[in-house]
Amino acid sequence: MQTGFPLPPGSIIGIFGSGQLGRMLALAAARLGLKTHIFAPTGGDSPAAQVAHSYMQADYNDLNAVKAFADGCDVLTYEFENIPAETALEAARLKPLYPSASCLNVAQDRLTEKKFISEKAGVPVAPFETVENIFDLKRALRRLGGSGVLKTRRFGYDGKGQAILQNETDIENAWEALGAHPVIVEAFIPFIREVSIVCARGVDGRMTAYPLVENVHKNHILHTSTAPAPRDLGHAKTLAQSIMEALDYVGVMATEFFELEDGSLLVNEIAPRVHNSGHWTQDAGCTDQFEQHIRAVAGWPLGSTDPKHGVVMTNLIGEDVNDWQNLAREDNTFLHIYGKKEARAGRKMAHVNRVVP
Amino acid sequence: MQTGFPLPPGSIIGIFGSGQLGRMLALAAARLGLKTHIFAPTGGDSPAAQVAHSYMQADYNDLNAVKAFADGCDVLTYEFENIPAETALEAARLKPLYPSASCLNVAQDRLTEKKFISEKAGVPVAPFETVENIFDLKRALRRLGGSGVLKTRRFGYDGKGQAILQNETDIENAWEALGAHPVIVEAFIPFIREVSIVCARGVDGRMTAYPLVENVHKNHILHTSTAPAPRDLGHAKTLAQSIMEALDYVGVMATEFFELEDGSLLVNEIAPRVHNSGHWTQDAGCTDQFEQHIRAVAGWPLGSTDPKHGVVMTNLIGEDVNDWQNLAREDNTFLHIYGKKEARAGRKMAHVNRVVP
């Protein structure tokens, strides 16, 4: 094991989580001669463990395993934000953890996140209120203009843990489905586009930003990201980087925005990790988001983020992946398949990056 | 295990050899959701085994191990041409081996190779003669114009197993060093450039070609490849693909040429595998040679080979790799580090691809 930043080739980067993001991080690390060690409750046939140098199969709550894992790594990171706070704290006691446990803490909880972004970073978010019961919810909705979105504070992704509230029936159903969890209600934002930006911040505080990307969702799951977004508003970068400064962030972070009619941006949420809306960077002719994250957490200089051409990323969800033969035949199309066995509905199986010369 | 071509994602590609070429093949396969299984006498910390899905540590002559390995794979290939003929034949009895054992047989021996290229494929090579003893050698040299290069028929690479013959002393020394092996003597070619071309041929016989590349060697080891070569002669592709047709080749093959003053080309040698002079394709905005080889042997359609811009590849030999921090700071420069521990003199440790927009 090596010590001291930047970590030299041969050093071991520990990654919590073994999904496709971990897989692509491991592949990027390997390009740089860095090794990856995966921690996840899933086994060796999970996407990241298949390609990593080694893996440890254990529950995230098994702090002894976390300790043994951290002992064997030079730096620690994660591919998803739902690892328990205790696990992150224990890991960070033993080895540098990037992004830090406090970044994770902020991003794990919608309430903490929105308060941090608006109050600490001074960046606008959609109006929101916490609600404890259905009466609170009805009162809050009236204040927010009559409609809104109920969201669980934790563990939401791909539209899970969310419900749109437009009438009395919606409210009853949503509360029945989600009211047992801590929730917040957000104003319904009449946005014209969803855009996001992927930025990185190094251990030395230097920052980079990829161009703004326009995202289209289908069934609440990201369908396409078009890079660069047809209209780059410029201030997305400033807003995202203000949040990263306030968090003393290290690594790649994605910031999702609602763009309003007047061109203003409200932060929807942040992801303290590499992000699906940054997959286009793999085939854009610049350092990709996975290598950038590895560079950041290993204390390396950040790479260049200027794409050489446009890219449209399309997710292959569930059985979409069965079209791989046709996609492999397309010119200027790059396939990335995640090594998952079952093409279940709603499951992210692969993506394609189509170059737009 | 899967059967039938094209091999679907999740299939297992067996690779003989665990160096950097195997490593980059394994990383490319992983992008496509294909698994790799490595066979090599070196252990799990060798470059390819570090990133492959699994590996088997055994001697190439251990045919029982070869059999067990082949049983666990859907298709077989190799990253270097010096696996024993018996091993290749045994492997090919059990699973498709691409390129075939007969391609390997041709490429393993300079004499067989030169005869095949000139007689079967009708492609010009440097004049050569076989020699059995020092008297043969002296006579042959006179016929070849007084100077030449003595080369062992087998196991030569990076200038090893070669000696330049310009005078009587050279001849004595060369024979002493190499005469115990089967050797040939080649005419000394007054070439103006060394160029090479990487082509691929699919199981369906379709072929692709990357642009011609100009190579500069330093101490007999490839130093830089400039892609595309400043002057593409056009006929390199035709010559290389004639050889591939004659071999009924499947996979990526590199063909190295001497370019003469008058623009004509003589084949120096072929490499029945991905090749150092094709590393630039990794950062050229097209399908790279590693993915192309994987596509070919897995029966996938071949990818596009049109680079979006120029690339200069530079090898980092031995302690050159210690410059990684400065290289990581360069814009438009992509680092590929092979995961080798000791930076011994003459050892290929890494390469950089510098994009030339």
Side-chain angles (χ1 to χ4, degrees):
Chain A
M1 260 193 310
Q2 317 286 345
T3 50
F5 287 96
L7 296 176
S11 303
I12 300 173
I13 297 176
I15 302 175
F16 289 99
S18 190
Q20 66 268 19
L21 302 180
R23 180 184 181 94
M24 293 183 277
L25 285 169
L27 294 175
R31 276 204 306 270
L32 300 179
L34 294 160
K35 292 178 179 170
T36 45
H37 191 22
I38 302 291
F39 186 107
T42 48
D45 211 33
S46 52
Q50 282 175 25
V51 302
H53 186 245
S54 56
Y55 70 94
M56 180 178 283
Q57 182 171 9
D59 192 88
Y60 291 117
N61 293 306
D62 180 347
L63 295 186
N64 286 327
V66 169
K67 194 171 173 309
F69 177 75
D71 275 340
C73 300
D74 296 299
V75 71
L76 301 166
T77 187
Y78 42 89
E79 59 133 37
F80 82 133
E81 58 269 44
N82 289 327
I83 58 170
E86 284 263 320
T87 304
L89 287 171
E90 179 66 20
R93 261 191 287 275
L94 294 159
K95 290 291 162 64
L97 173 74
Y98 298 128
S100 70
S102 54
C103 293
L104 194 64
N105 186 49
V106 166
Q108 280 181 335
D109 182 318
R110 286 187 195 279
L111 177 62
T112 318
E113 180 178 311
K114 280 173 191 293
K115 283 175 114 168
F116 185 92
I117 292 171
S118 55
E119 293 167 18
K120 296 276 167 50
V123 169
V125 299
F128 65 95
E129 295 199 24
T130 52
V131 289
E132 300 284 332
N133 55 52
I134 196 163
F135 308 107
D136 279 359
L137 175 56
K138 289 181 183 181
R139 274 192 297 272
L141 262 190
R142 277 196 295 275
R143 282 190 296 268
L144 294 170
S147 63
V149 186
L150 190 68
K151 296 182 175 181
T152 57
R153 284 171 55 179
R154 288 175 171 268
F155 304 116
Y157 72 98
D158 290 348
K160 290 184 176 66
Q162 297 196 14
I164 291 173
L165 310 169
Q166 285 175 315
N167 56 46
E168 200 65 23
T169 319
D170 286 349
I171 296 175
E172 304 283 344
N173 291 341
W175 192 259
E176 194 162 313
L178 306 175
H181 307 280
V183 287
I184 61 168
V185 58
E186 270 181 38
F188 193 78
I189 302 296
F191 59 87
I192 56 164
R193 298 192 305 172
E194 287 178 79
V195 292
S196 64
I197 191 163
V198 171
C199 299
R201 189 164 177 274
V203 287
D204 59 1
R206 287 194 202 187
M207 293 196 278
T208 61
Y210 293 101
L212 191 71
V213 164
E214 179 168 341
N215 300 318
V216 174
H217 290 74
K218 221 161 104 173
N219 305 322
H220 303 288
I221 303 175
L222 182 64
H223 175 50
T224 61
S225 293
T226 300
R231 190 165 62 121
D232 189 339
L233 303 156
H235 53 296
K237 175 180 164 180
T238 313
L239 298 177
Q241 294 189 340
S242 300
I243 301 170
M244 293 171 85
E245 285 283 10
L247 286 167
D248 192 20
Y249 195 91
V250 173
V252 159
M253 185 179 105
T255 309
E256 294 182 36
F257 299 94
F258 297 126
E259 182 185 334
L260 309 188
E261 196 84 58
D262 64 359
S264 64
L265 294 172
L266 296 178
V267 171
N268 175 27
E269 60 182 20
I270 59 171
R273 51 169 169 83
V274 288
H275 190 254
N276 199 164
S277 73
H279 290 0
W280 65 274
T281 58
Q282 293 174 306
D283 298 296
C286 55
T287 302
D288 74 36
Q289 67 163 347
F290 301 100
E291 178 172 331
Q292 193 76 310
H293 186 72
I294 295 293
R295 282 172 172 250
V297 305
W300 287 39
L302 299 181
S304 85
T305 54
D306 289 333
K308 299 283 178 298
H309 43 67
V311 181
V312 179
M313 188 286 309
T314 304
N315 272 334
L316 303 181
I317 308 293
E319 298 193 342
D320 292 353
V321 74
N322 295 341
D323 199 31
W324 63 272
Q325 288 193 54
N326 290 321
L327 294 164
R329 217 167 274 127
E330 280 183 24
D331 254 9
N332 292 314
T333 294
F334 298 88
L335 257 171
H336 299 265
I337 303 181
Y338 307 151
K340 298 179 184 176
K341 268 189 193 145
E342 292 169 60
R344 290 198 297 270
R347 196 176 199 203
K348 290 177 180 171
M349 299 298 294
H351 68 272
V352 287
N353 287 327
R354 290 188 173 93
V355 167
V356 186
Chain B
M1 262 193 307
Q2 317 285 345
T3 52
F5 287 95
L7 295 176
S11 302
I12 299 173
I13 297 176
I15 302 174
F16 289 99
S18 190
Q20 66 269 19
L21 302 179
R23 180 185 181 94
M24 293 184 277
L25 285 169
L27 295 175
R31 275 204 307 269
L32 300 179
L34 293 160
K35 292 177 179 171
T36 45
H37 191 24
I38 302 291
F39 186 107
T42 48
D45 212 31
S46 53
Q50 282 175 26
V51 302
H53 186 245
S54 56
Y55 70 94
M56 180 178 285
Q57 182 171 8
D59 192 87
Y60 291 119
N61 294 307
D62 180 347
L63 295 185
N64 286 326
V66 169
K67 195 171 172 311
F69 177 74
D71 275 340
C73 300
D74 296 298
V75 71
L76 301 166
T77 188
Y78 42 90
E79 60 133 35
F80 83 133
E81 58 270 42
N82 289 328
I83 59 170
E86 285 263 320
T87 305
L89 287 171
E90 179 66 22
R93 261 192 287 275
L94 295 159
K95 289 291 161 63
L97 173 74
Y98 297 128
S100 71
S102 54
C103 293
L104 194 63
N105 186 48
V106 166
Q108 278 180 336
D109 182 317
R110 285 187 196 279
L111 177 61
T112 319
E113 180 178 312
K114 280 172 192 294
K115 285 175 112 169
F116 185 93
I117 292 170
S118 55
E119 294 167 18
K120 296 275 167 50
V123 169
V125 300
F128 66 95
E129 295 199 25
T130 53
V131 289
E132 300 285 329
N133 55 53
I134 196 164
F135 308 106
D136 279 0
L137 175 57
K138 289 181 181 179
R139 276 193 295 271
L141 260 189
R142 277 196 294 275
R143 282 191 295 269
L144 293 170
S147 63
V149 187
L150 190 68
K151 295 182 176 182
T152 57
R153 284 171 55 180
R154 290 175 169 269
F155 305 117
Y157 72 99
D158 290 349
K160 290 184 175 66
Q162 297 195 14
I164 292 173
L165 311 169
Q166 286 175 315
N167 55 47
E168 200 64 24
T169 320
D170 286 350
I171 296 175
E172 305 281 344
N173 291 341
W175 192 260
E176 194 163 314
L178 306 174
H181 308 280
V183 288
I184 61 170
V185 58
E186 272 181 36
F188 192 80
I189 303 297
F191 60 86
I192 55 165
R193 299 192 306 172
E194 288 178 78
V195 293
S196 63
I197 191 163
V198 172
C199 298
R201 189 165 176 274
V203 287
D204 59 1
R206 288 193 201 187
M207 293 197 278
T208 60
Y210 294 101
L212 190 72
V213 164
E214 179 168 341
N215 300 316
V216 174
H217 290 75
K218 223 161 102 174
N219 305 320
H220 303 288
I221 302 175
L222 182 64
H223 176 51
T224 61
S225 293
T226 300
R231 189 165 62 120
D232 190 339
L233 302 155
H235 53 296
K237 175 180 162 180
T238 312
L239 299 177
Q241 294 189 339
S242 300
I243 302 170
M244 293 171 84
E245 285 284 9
L247 286 166
D248 193 19
Y249 195 92
V250 173
V252 158
M253 185 179 104
T255 308
E256 293 182 38
F257 300 94
F258 297 126
E259 181 185 335
L260 309 188
E261 196 84 58
D262 65 0
S264 64
L265 295 172
L266 296 178
V267 171
N268 175 26
E269 61 182 22
I270 59 171
R273 54 170 167 80
V274 288
H275 191 255
N276 198 163
S277 73
H279 290 1
W280 64 275
T281 57
Q282 294 174 306
D283 297 297
C286 54
T287 302
D288 74 36
Q289 68 163 349
F290 302 99
E291 179 172 329
Q292 193 76 314
H293 186 73
I294 294 293
R295 282 173 172 249
V297 304
W300 287 39
L302 299 180
S304 85
T305 54
D306 290 334
K308 300 283 179 298
H309 44 68
V311 180
V312 179
M313 188 286 310
T314 304
N315 271 335
L316 303 181
I317 308 293
E319 297 194 342
D320 292 353
V321 73
N322 296 341
D323 199 31
W324 62 272
Q325 289 193 53
N326 290 321
L327 294 164
R329 216 167 276 128
E330 279 184 25
D331 253 9
N332 291 314
T333 294
F334 298 88
L335 257 172
H336 300 264
I337 303 180
Y338 307 151
K340 297 178 185 177
K341 268 188 191 146
E342 291 169 61
R344 289 197 299 268
R347 194 177 200 202
K348 290 176 180 171
M349 300 298 294
H351 67 272
V352 287
N353 287 327
R354 291 189 173 92
V355 167
V356 185

